Amino acid sequence: AQSVTQPDIHITVSEGASLELRCNYSYGATPYLFWYVQSPGQGLQLLLKYFSGDTLVQGIKGFEAEFKRSQSSFNLRKPSVHWSDAAEYFCAVDAEEYGNKLVFGAGTILRVKS
Amino acid sequence: EPEVTQTPSHQVTQMGQEVILRCVPISNHLYFYWYRQILGQKVEFLVSFYNNEISEKSEIFDDQFSVERPDGSNFTLKIRSTKLEDSAMYFCASSANSPLHFGNGTRLTVT
């Protein structure tokens, strides 16, 4: 069965520091990959997605993610974190054969210290 | 930018009662979904809906759950007889194909 692992439950970074959130997936082929962000009391907002092509994808709010097939990873990065980035981040996989049924990771809570 | 809207934002109900969670998907989208997130757990797929019928459902989506598109704009999730373990955040989503656009969720509390 498809699965998504986000190994870090919590991450704390200083404002202005760089950020990398890890995501590994388990699936035989190349799935569609997504990162969503959830601010407190809010819904899930799409940050970026990877379907095919260039393995480095750019998203909103200055985020990017790199798909590495050899590592089954899709890590999220941001070069300089802002206090407003504090939220929970979810990696998700769409195995396509299941018709847009996303499998989510457990999430990583990002805290930003000033 | 068009949004998926969900009402109410928070619903409290007693065990055994019926609840209906409402969603207005993005207007030109054809695929509709419900997901849920129990506090502290992963977001889980419940059901997908296309062309006025369920296209897929998870093991969670048992006979107590039903979905309906009663008119051209609303998409509802009904829980017939709520249980304590139904307490969760319920997210509606819609898509034209991919990706999914999620609403802000309805927090259901069953007491």
Side-chain angles (χ1 to χ4, degrees):
Chain A
Q2 291 70 36
S3 66
V4 178
T5 302
Q6 293 180 248
D8 303 305
I9 299 173
H10 296 100
I11 281 186
T12 300
V13 299
S14 298
E15 191 169 16
S18 64
L19 171 71
E20 182 169 32
L21 302 182
R22 295 182 291 166
C23 172
N24 292 92
Y25 65 90
S26 169
Y27 181 59
T30 300
Y32 292 175
L33 297 158
F34 305 86
W35 276 98
Y36 284 86
V37 61
Q38 184 181 28
S39 299
Q42 301 296 311
L44 296 163
Q45 182 183 22
L46 179 69
L47 282 176
L48 47 76
K49 60 186 184 290
Y50 173 78
F51 290 169
S52 64
D54 192 346
T55 56
L56 184 64
V57 293
Q58 303 297 319
I60 62 171
K61 305 184 180 186
F63 285 92
E64 65 178 26
E66 186 171 14
F67 167 61
K68 292 186 178 179
R69 185 191 307 274
S70 61
Q71 299 176 19
S72 296
S73 69
F74 189 57
N75 294 348
L76 181 72
R77 300 194 294 248
K78 186 170 185 179
S80 178
V81 169
H82 188 262
W83 64 266
S84 60
D85 294 323
E88 189 162 16
Y89 291 80
F90 294 93
C91 182
V93 163
D94 175 4
E96 193 188 8
E97 64 190 23
Y98 292 92
N100 225 349
K101 184 179 83 172
L102 298 186
V103 175
F104 282 84
T108 297
I109 296 173
L110 173 65
R111 298 192 179 108
V112 180
K113 58 182 182 180
S114 55
Chain B
E1 184 177 331
E3 293 181 341
V4 175
T5 56
Q6 290 186 243
T7 55
S9 57
H10 191 187
Q11 173 120 25
V12 181
T13 189
Q14 289 190 324
M15 195 168 51
Q17 295 297 304
E18 174 184 287
V19 294
I20 297 176
L21 309 183
R22 302 180 191 281
C23 170
V24 179
I26 294 173
S27 62
N28 63 340
H29 286 181
L30 300 177
Y31 300 86
F32 313 113
Y33 309 82
W34 285 99
Y35 284 74
R36 81 171 184 190
Q37 183 183 28
I38 295 173
L39 187 65
Q41 298 186 23
K42 293 183 180 184
V43 178
E44 304 171 289
F45 168 82
L46 290 180
V47 65
S48 58
F49 190 88
Y50 171 72
N51 201 25
N52 284 320
E53 60 182 24
I54 291 173
S55 45
E56 191 174 357
K57 59 184 180 180
S58 72
E59 293 175 353
I60 304 165
F61 195 89
D62 61 22
D63 292 344
Q64 293 300 309
F65 291 87
S66 63
V67 289
E68 192 178 29
R69 188 155 164 80
D71 52 44
S73 60
N74 291 283
F75 179 53
T76 62
L77 174 69
K78 182 193 292 185
I79 309 175
R80 257 179 275 283
S81 177
T82 51
K83 303 186 284 284
L84 294 176
E85 54 265 37
D86 294 327
S87 295
M89 179 75 90
Y90 288 81
F91 292 105
C92 175
S94 70
S95 73
N97 189 2
S98 189
L100 301 186
H101 296 259
F102 285 87
N104 283 349
T106 293
R107 180 166 297 286
L108 176 65
T109 302
V110 182
T111 61

